[in-house]
Amino acid sequence: QVQLAESGGNSVQAGGSLTLSCAVSGDTYSINHIGWFRQASGNEREGVAAIYTAGTNTIYDDSVQGRFTISQDNAKNTVYLQMNSLEPEDTAMYYCAARKGGVWFLSLVSEQYTYWGQGTQVTVSS
């Protein structure tokens, strides 16, 4: 089993920045993709960014490309989501998720992820 714990959510003004953290524990050898997803009230969960934890490959949704950066600290078993130039439309509950996958097949499809954290709330006011 793999456990994921998100932290770092907060309320910020538009244009501000936040860094979310996803601490991974348990059978970490069994997963090599970590993704960040978000779900706004009344909307479906959507993929934001993903990283191949055994290398450097990353992917981003078009809505956050250039504003968000996913990174990892393997020594701390932690994946980060640096969010800059935040917009009210970024308001959502943010989740990290994990799965086992190939190096060239990063995914932002939530159904393809096995393990999920409880989420951390990000609120951006105008």
Side-chain angles (χ1 to χ4, degrees):
Q1 291 294 313
V2 174
Q3 293 79 44
L4 305 166
E6 304 94 336
S7 61
N10 211 329
S11 297
V12 297
Q13 296 278 341
S17 298
L18 280 175
T19 299
L20 306 183
S21 299
C22 174
V24 185
S25 60
D27 298 334
T28 57
Y29 63 88
S30 68
I31 57 98
N32 59 3
H33 289 189
I34 299 288
W36 281 99
F37 296 80
R38 65 186 181 186
Q39 187 167 18
S41 178
N43 290 357
E44 293 185 355
R45 191 170 296 185
E46 62 178 2
V48 173
I51 189 166
Y52 177 62
T53 59
T56 59
N57 288 12
T58 59
I59 59 170
Y60 297 90
D61 184 76
D62 288 346
S63 65
V64 306
Q65 182 77 48
R67 299 190 298 124
F68 290 10
T69 302
I70 189 170
S71 63
Q72 60 184 333
D73 184 335
N74 287 337
K76 296 181 178 179
N77 284 335
T78 300
V79 173
Y80 304 98
L81 185 68
Q82 173 69 43
M83 305 186 295
N84 298 326
S85 302
L86 283 163
E87 304 167 351
E89 292 74 22
D90 296 317
T91 295
M93 184 71 78
Y94 282 72
Y95 302 87
C96 63
R99 71 169 194 156
K100 180 78 169 182
V103 61
W104 300 114
F105 297 99
L106 287 172
S107 171
L108 295 180
V109 178
S110 60
E111 290 79 6
Q112 295 181 359
Y113 282 77
T114 307
Y115 304 101
W116 289 84
Q118 294 299 307
T120 186
Q121 178 67 38
V122 173
T123 303
V124 184
S125 57
S126 58

